[in-house]
Amino acid sequence: MKRLGLLLLIATVSLSGCSHFSGRASSWPPIPSVAELSCCWQSEEKIDLRDKNGDYTFHSVVAVAENQLTVVVLDGLGYRHLTLVYDGTGALRTLAAPPSWDGEYSHYFLLAIYLHHLKPGAWPVNQPHWRVKWEGSKKSLYYKNDEIMTLNYTDSQDPLAQTRNVVFADLPLILTVTTLTRMPL
């Protein structure tokens, strides 16, 4: 129960601030089709969360297969805390989550995954004010001229395996995501 309580605290602190971005835009962009991601693969990611309350480590498994994106988040002992499934019809289902998990958090989570995997240019869904821009080692999601979410890449030559810091504008939180393994399915 203490682990679940800790995760709830982290999720609330880290993601509740994202909702204040809604003042910049009427809403976050819709999540693109799974077809925008290359198929079929699975990766294991290490997620280090740093905020004013401390540092926390989680693991996740991200898989894309047959028009479905699945994300499972585990704690350091391997206990599942979150499962998200997004399919080709645009339906995002949260199959397992902490009790106070807001569905918007799932949306933000998937946006960060898509930002990592998408090429620079217009957001793939018909949203004219949203775009992806890549400058050097920095990839960002913009709404009009406002930078909303940034991925700062740190070390690898392989763009799909790079360690990246996920930064939300105006939020004192950094997620460092490291791809541990990636394999075809």
Side-chain angles (χ1 to χ4, degrees):
M1 270 327 250
K2 287 185 179 184
R3 275 191 309 274
L4 182 56
L6 177 61
L7 181 65
L8 291 173
L9 171 66
I10 293 167
T12 302
V13 168
S14 62
L15 294 173
S16 63
C18 297
S19 63
H20 95 265
F21 296 132
S22 62
R24 291 191 180 173
S26 59
S27 65
W28 283 81
I31 300 167
S33 165
V34 177
E36 295 291 335
L37 302 173
S38 62
C39 188
C40 296
W41 55 269
Q42 174 178 304
S43 66
E44 180 186 355
E45 315 279 343
K46 177 182 167 202
I47 303 169
D48 293 309
L49 182 146
R50 176 178 293 151
D51 69 5
K52 63 183 179 184
N53 297 316
D55 296 341
Y56 311 93
T57 299
F58 298 94
H59 289 273
S60 70
V61 176
V62 179
V64 176
E66 298 183 27
N67 213 22
Q68 180 171 295
L69 168 64
T70 304
V71 180
V72 178
V73 177
L74 311 165
D75 69 12
L77 297 174
Y79 290 102
R80 182 177 64 165
H81 287 288
L82 177 66
T83 301
L84 304 175
V85 177
Y86 181 65
D87 65 30
T89 66
L92 172 58
R93 295 177 290 145
T94 303
L95 302 180
S100 65
W101 186 261
D102 185 320
E104 287 186 29
Y105 302 163
S106 300
H107 194 92
Y108 307 146
F109 202 98
L110 291 186
L111 288 177
I113 292 170
Y114 272 88
L115 180 59
H116 175 57
H117 290 280
L118 290 176
K119 293 180 170 88
W123 194 248
V125 182
N126 189 15
Q127 297 289 315
H129 297 296
W130 290 94
R131 72 182 190 289
V132 176
K133 188 174 181 182
W134 196 330
E135 296 177 296
S137 62
K138 178 179 158 181
K139 194 178 205 183
S140 301
L141 176 62
Y142 282 84
Y143 176 73
K144 295 185 179 179
N145 292 322
D146 293 329
E147 191 173 52
I148 304 300
M149 181 187 302
T150 302
L151 304 180
N152 293 306
Y153 292 93
T154 60
D155 59 5
S156 174
Q157 296 297 333
D158 179 0
L160 294 177
Q162 290 182 335
T163 296
R164 57 229 174 251
N165 293 320
V166 182
V167 180
F168 297 95
D170 303 327
L171 186 62
L173 164 77
I174 296 177
L175 297 173
T176 301
V177 181
T178 303
T179 302
L180 302 174
T181 62
R182 181 178 162 106
M183 65 185 82
L185 292 177

